[in-house]
Amino acid sequence: SYSSAFTSVHGGRPSSEYAKIRKESLESKFRRILGSSSHTLFADRGFGPFLAVYRAATISYHVVKLTVWHLLLSDVHKRAEKFRETLIRLGPFYIKLGQALSTRPDILPSAYCQELSKLQDQIPPFPTRKAIRTIESELGSRMSDLFADISPEPIAAASLGQVYKAHLHSGELVAIKVQRPGMAPLLTLDALLFNMIGGQLKRFAKARKDLLVAVNEIVRHMFDEIDYVLEGKNAERFAILYSQGGEGRTSIKVPKVYWTYTRKSILALEWIDGIKLTDAERISKANLNRKKMIDEGLYCSLRQLLEDGFFHADPHPGNLVATEDGSLAYFDFGMMGDIPRHYRVGLIQMLVHYVNRDPLGLANDFHSLGFVPEGTDLHAVATALSVAFGDGRRQSNDFQGVMNHLYDVMYDFNFSLPPDYALVIRALGSLEGTAKALDPDFKVIESAYPFVIGRLLADPSPDMRKILRELLIRDDGSIRWNRLERLIAAISQQSSEESSKKPGDENTASSSDWRSFDMHSVVSATEDLFHFILSRKGWRVRVFLIQDIVKASDAFLQETTFPGIFEEEGNTGELNPERSRMIRRLINGVQSFRQAISLAPNAWTAMLIRVALKPESQRFILDVFLALVNYSHDKVPETCWICMSKYLNYLDRQWR
């Protein structure tokens, strides 16, 4: 990714080998699941082969129709619309498949992704008598022995199952989720038959060569979704990590699982009354704090994606409700992601590079995480990303807007999203869509950045420290002063906010505490940064730092010596606007740094003393001093003569 004659001060970049190993592991897991399910389908059901022939005939009929439309239609948007309609007619498996593929711009052209994003679970509910038969069969008792009462009709229905409202004999109100009959064998059959028609669908949609690989990963998640015991375990794990029983900082609720009434096709959960986030009228009547709910939901989601890695992959408005006390309740834990640390760190790095408009850094991230094939020209990718960012910044900075502009880049350069990131894209898109129901101006990337910076400052691990260094130091060793200035300003702003906070504000501000920086973490990160600059690896940084110090002293010397006498008569402007701006930025930076120190003066003082006592620091201070002396040897006399000349000119003007 770089010229052979250039090496970064931050060292080499991670290889894409991890992505290959991770992909092979997940594909192996899928083959085991599908092999076991297909054996059950054909061995335990005498009508399995006949069912396969009938289903194959049905699918073939719709594929032939789709082929005819392919020949008749030339407009890609019309083709995409027919593709979506065909998936709806083919049933639950293909609807779920289309929903998942709508977030895969590396597989399908952008027109198809946008059309498939319209897919909903448009399957009518199955009869309640079949649901009752399933419940009694799975739980081994009559309905009257199991529940005091149950709703006559489902209160919600989707492609894989439907939900009933019931009372236990203990009086507890529960939600009973019942799987659609025959879902497991039908899912297995459709997954097997897809390989038969996958080539034709791929040609119609002009999909990439790894369509079948992507579909296998999607099917793996579908098998997880129809295992309600696994969903119950997911709910309990989610509750431990993120609900009030976890850290205690967030107002997140997760329904309790009733294991006595839970089986692989039946799930019994605590009933939680709530208000849909799209119901603006009820939220207003309940006097709920929208900003607080958005903060809580965003904080919980960022912890899922960037800290713990276990995340809800589909937080759309149907799976999130607001309770009367202003908490957020999560539902439906069938589609969950478990992103490894390697990818979490990569996601943080991508967010940092995107927000700071660093397309080459982002292209390198894509390469190291296995997004682009080996041998791809990363500078070409960076150029395309730069164009996409430019268009996206002018039009929109929300997640969907960014993705719309990245679709063509990902498709043109044959990107291959790792399975974990496909779910991350879905989760971020759903999160932003849900938050926009409360605040139409919400932008998930922009809102997440303070959390990302907080993670970089708080996590002392080598990979996080490397990202922090890359944020502030270029690969050639020069300092990114504008980013450092913004970071110091953000920390000092926290100082001014905390000093102006009233005693009664603690409860109202608790929802935004995660946006604040832990000052001891900031001090620790600063000390690590100093150690890097003073180390062998940081020699180039020290060279650039000395040059910048000399430039700043020169500007300060020329702008502040004998103030008020340099201006010509009638000229009250600045002698050199660029130098004046540098001086103002330097003064503002020092003031901001002083405010940041005021938050933890003892920690800052102890750290600065430790650094100052290091021999490397003393040598660097000596280098700075010698550089200033060497520079001043010629510059100071010159400046003095200029000042004296201007002073004499000033006296002459006064005498005249």
Side-chain angles (χ1 to χ4, degrees), residues 546 550 619-632:
I546 290 173
V550 169
R619 283 197 294 270
F620 177 65
I621 292 171
L622 180 61
D623 289 341
V624 172
F625 175 74
L626 293 176
L628 289 172
V629 169
N630 185 49
Y631 181 78
S632 303

Side-chain angles (χ1 to χ4, degrees), residues 82-95 97-99 101 116 119 201:
K82 290 298 179 184
F83 189 72
R84 176 179 61 83
E85 292 171 356
T86 301
L87 295 185
I88 292 173
R89 294 190 186 97
L90 286 173
F93 171 82
Y94 288 89
I95 289 175
L97 191 64
Q99 289 172 335
L101 286 175
L116 293 181
L119 278 173
L201 290 177

Side-chain angles (χ1 to χ4, degrees), residues 33 47 78 114 122 142 164 178 202 220 227 234 240 431 438 505 509 511 557 584 597 601 631 648:
I33 294 172
F47 60 89
K78 291 287 185 182
Q114 291 168 14
Q122 298 166 330
R142 293 183 304 172
Y164 292 86
V178 186
K202 174 182 163 185
R220 184 177 70 83
D227 185 349
N234 288 341
I240 291 170
L431 170 65
L438 296 171
D505 288 346
S511 66
L557 184 66
R584 283 198 297 271
I597 290 177
Y631 181 78
L648 292 173

Side-chain angles (χ1 to χ4, degrees), residues 56-223:
T58 304
I59 292 173
S60 299
Y61 168 72
H62 287 290
V63 170
V64 169
K65 282 182 63 179
L66 193 63
T67 305
V68 173
W69 283 117
H70 178 77
L71 296 173
L72 296 177
L73 298 173
S74 57
D75 181 49
V76 67
H77 296 284
K78 291 287 185 182
R79 284 186 175 184
E81 185 178 342
K82 290 298 179 184
F83 189 72
R84 176 179 61 83
E85 292 171 356
T86 301
L87 295 185
I88 292 173
R89 294 190 186 97
L90 286 173
F93 171 82
Y94 288 89
I95 289 175
K96 300 290 286 186
L97 191 64
Q99 289 172 335
L101 286 175
S102 69
T103 62
R104 296 300 302 266
D106 58 316
I107 301 292
L108 296 177
S110 58
Y112 282 82
C113 290
Q114 291 168 14
E115 186 66 31
L116 293 181
S117 66
K118 302 174 185 176
L119 278 173
Q120 302 294 328
D121 287 334
Q122 298 166 330
I123 303 294
F126 58 91
T128 297
R129 69 177 186 278
K130 290 187 177 181
I132 291 174
R133 194 182 308 143
T134 300
I135 293 172
E136 291 181 337
S137 173
E138 289 281 327
L139 298 180
S141 299
R142 293 183 304 172
M143 289 295 291
S144 57
D145 296 331
L146 296 168
F147 307 107
D149 60 67
I150 190 169
S151 58
E153 297 295 332
I155 57 159
S159 55
L160 300 183
Q162 55 199 42
V163 178
Y164 292 86
K165 188 176 183 179
H167 279 96
L168 301 179
H169 287 293
S170 61
E172 294 170 282
L173 189 60
V174 294
I176 305 297
K177 186 175 179 180
V178 186
Q179 193 174 114
R180 192 173 288 272
M183 201 67 247
L186 282 175
L187 178 58
T188 303
L189 185 57
D190 276 352
L192 291 169
L193 292 175
F194 183 84
N195 290 279
M196 180 183 73
I197 65 158
Q200 183 60 30
L201 290 177
K202 174 182 163 185
R203 284 189 292 273
F204 183 86
K206 294 185 178 179
R208 287 292 183 198
K209 59 185 179 182
D210 52 355
L211 171 65
L212 293 177
V213 175
V215 169
N216 288 346
E217 177 59 23
I218 294 165
V219 173
R220 184 177 70 83
H221 286 291
M222 287 190 201
F223 276 110

Side-chain angles (χ1 to χ4, degrees), residues 302-345:
L302 293 175
R303 280 191 60 212
Q304 293 172 48
L305 291 168
L306 303 180
E307 280 190 9
D308 299 294
F310 184 66
F311 65 96
H312 197 298
D314 199 18
H316 63 73
N319 290 337
L320 270 171
V321 299
T323 61
E324 290 183 354
D325 63 356
S327 299
L328 286 175
Y330 276 80
F331 301 128
D332 195 352
F333 300 91
M335 187 181 291
M336 305 295 290
D338 206 346
I339 182 170
R341 176 177 172 81
H342 177 83
Y343 285 152
R344 297 201 300 273
V345 172

Side-chain angles (χ1 to χ4, degrees), residues 360 375 395 516:
L360 183 57
Q395 294 183 19
S516 301

Side-chain angles (χ1 to χ4, degrees), residues 384 387-389 391-392 395-396 400-409:
V387 173
F389 287 172
D391 292 343
Q395 294 183 19
S396 172
Q400 196 55 51
V402 170
M403 288 308 302
N404 286 341
H405 286 88
L406 287 179
Y407 280 166
D408 291 334
V409 177

Side-chain angles (χ1 to χ4, degrees), residues 435-470:
K436 280 182 178 292
L438 296 171
D439 178 9
D441 296 325
F442 177 81
K443 296 176 178 61
V444 67
I445 297 176
E446 200 174 274
S447 303
Y449 194 60
F451 181 92
V452 170
I453 296 300
R455 287 285 298 147
L456 291 179
L457 292 171
D459 192 335
S461 61
D463 44 16
M464 289 297 196
R465 285 292 187 252
K466 183 179 178 183
I467 296 174
L468 181 61
R469 293 197 303 268
E470 290 176 346

